[in-house]
Amino acid sequence: MTLWNGSYPFYPGANACFPFDTTRAVIVTVFLSMLATSIIILPGIPARRRLFWFLRLLLGLFLGAVILNVQFTGDWETGWVQANTSYKSFSPVQVSADIGLHIGLAGLNVTLRGNPVKQLNETINYNEHFPWSFGQDYDLSYSQGLHKGLPSPILYVAEKFSSQSPCAVHRQYRVAGHYASATLWLAFCTWLVSILLFSMSILLYGGQMLLLTATLILSSLLLFSTTRNTLRCPIQFGPVSLRTGYGESFWLALATGLLCLLLGLGILILNSLQPERLKLIFSLDKSSEEELWDKSCLPAQASCSAQDGHMVPLGELCPGTATQL
């Protein structure tokens, strides 16, 4: 009989992972609810304005949802590798697994998935999060992973990003993620201001706020990309190494920033060259303006006619009644 009956201590079974991120689910649900509500009231919009109104709504909700959603995603930088590696410390037994690294603005996730999932009479399917945002202690979460007895590949990857690691990338990722997140929050605020200005038909300033939103989004991408210029330690698993590249959230934010830039420039150009066409896109054509003008002038015209009725010469009111002295 061996110590612990041949099993190694501090290695509980794989924890069941929640199937999706609740924060992202809430954001998507809120924006989809707003879209569904707008579709319900769409038949009440006049037919000639309905298409442009729906396109403006769809673009506005898409921009806001992306700016807010990428704050909480963990795939700004991702990488996968398939390797044969040791599963537990102090054990020569190796498993075939897919190892993934997902880096976000607030921390990183390390994924270990067996290939196949069932090996060594266990289910090898882990996804561990290690936060580094301000107010969170990355080293503490790494120490908790050590005490919990996480598999060796997860601890090996997480150790590369600790503050005590000779790789020295912890501070760069933490600072870059913090300022990129703050810049995206500013972009979300400027997006809200642009929506408010467009709803008030202040098109020129709305276009300028869209340009500011695009500048802030692209600045956040620039801040995050500075981390890739730092010297890195290789994450090696035998003959193969884990390499990372920009993930879906990075490219989605880039596309959104470029879209804001094009929309803002288009609004400014149309406002200076063809303002009538811009008013038509925002349902501010001449016919609607004339109808509003006529309705606003009806009380004034009535008062003017009443005033004209009282301004009659006195001689016309009493003809032939004057007597000569």
Side-chain angles (χ1 to χ4, degrees), residues 190 193-213 260-261 263-275 278-279 282 284:
T190 55
V193 174
S194 68
I195 294 297
L196 179 62
L197 292 174
F198 286 138
S199 64
M200 298 171 61
S201 302
I202 308 177
L203 306 183
L204 178 61
Y205 293 137
Q208 293 175 352
M209 293 306 295
L210 270 183
L211 285 180
L212 182 57
T213 303
C260 287
L261 182 63
L263 291 176
L265 288 176
I267 290 174
L268 295 184
I269 293 174
L270 286 178
N271 185 75
S272 59
L273 300 180
Q274 296 181 345
L278 181 62
K279 292 179 180 179
F282 283 88
L284 298 175

Side-chain angles (χ1 to χ4, degrees), residues 130-144:
F130 300 91
W132 57 45
S133 59
F134 288 164
Q136 301 288 337
D137 192 344
Y138 182 92
D139 292 335
L140 177 61
S141 62
Y142 174 71
S143 299
Q144 291 174 350

Side-chain angles (χ1 to χ4, degrees), residues 47-106:
R48 61 179 180 177
R49 305 178 185 176
R50 190 175 300 164
L51 178 61
F52 286 128
W53 184 86
F54 182 72
L55 289 178
R56 294 198 310 268
L57 173 71
L58 193 61
L59 282 175
L61 291 178
F62 172 77
L63 295 177
V66 171
I67 296 172
L68 190 59
N69 196 33
V70 294
Q71 288 271 5
F72 307 99
T73 54
D75 54 353
W76 280 67
E77 187 176 345
T78 61
W80 283 92
V81 67
Q82 183 177 359
N84 294 322
T85 180
S86 62
Y87 178 53
K88 299 177 180 180
S89 301
F90 314 111
S91 174
V93 179
Q94 292 191 343
V95 295
S96 176
D98 296 325
I99 306 167
L101 175 60
H102 314 278
I103 302 175
L105 301 182

Side-chain angles (χ1 to χ4, degrees), residues 18-63:
F18 205 66
F20 55 86
D21 188 355
T22 55
T23 304
R24 297 173 60 184
V26 169
I27 294 173
V28 172
T29 302
V30 169
F31 279 89
L32 287 180
S33 300
M34 296 171 62
L35 179 61
T37 304
S38 303
I39 292 176
I40 292 175
I41 66 174
L42 188 62
I45 307 297
R48 61 179 180 177
R49 305 178 185 176
R50 190 175 300 164
L51 178 61
F52 286 128
W53 184 86
F54 182 72
L55 289 178
R56 294 198 310 268
L57 173 71
L58 193 61
L59 282 175
L61 291 178
F62 172 77
L63 295 177

Side-chain angles (χ1 to χ4, degrees), residues 277-311:
R277 181 169 296 181
L278 181 62
K279 292 179 180 179
L280 178 62
I281 294 175
F282 283 88
S283 302
L284 298 175
D285 51 334
K286 286 185 176 181
S287 60
S288 61
E289 289 182 353
E290 291 177 356
E291 291 175 1
L292 292 175
W293 176 259
D294 294 339
K295 292 180 181 178
S296 62
C297 288
L298 286 176
Q301 291 176 356
S303 61
C304 292
S305 62
Q307 185 179 3
D308 293 340
H310 290 290
M311 297 297 292

Side-chain angles (χ1 to χ4, degrees), residues 76-78 103 172-173 223-232 243-247 250:
W76 280 67
E77 187 176 345
T78 61
I103 302 175
Q172 287 85 345
Y173 272 101
L223 287 171
F224 183 81
S225 63
T226 57
T227 58
R228 296 188 60 82
N229 298 326
T230 59
L231 184 62
R232 301 185 175 197
R243 302 182 183 275
T244 59
Y246 293 126
F250 184 90

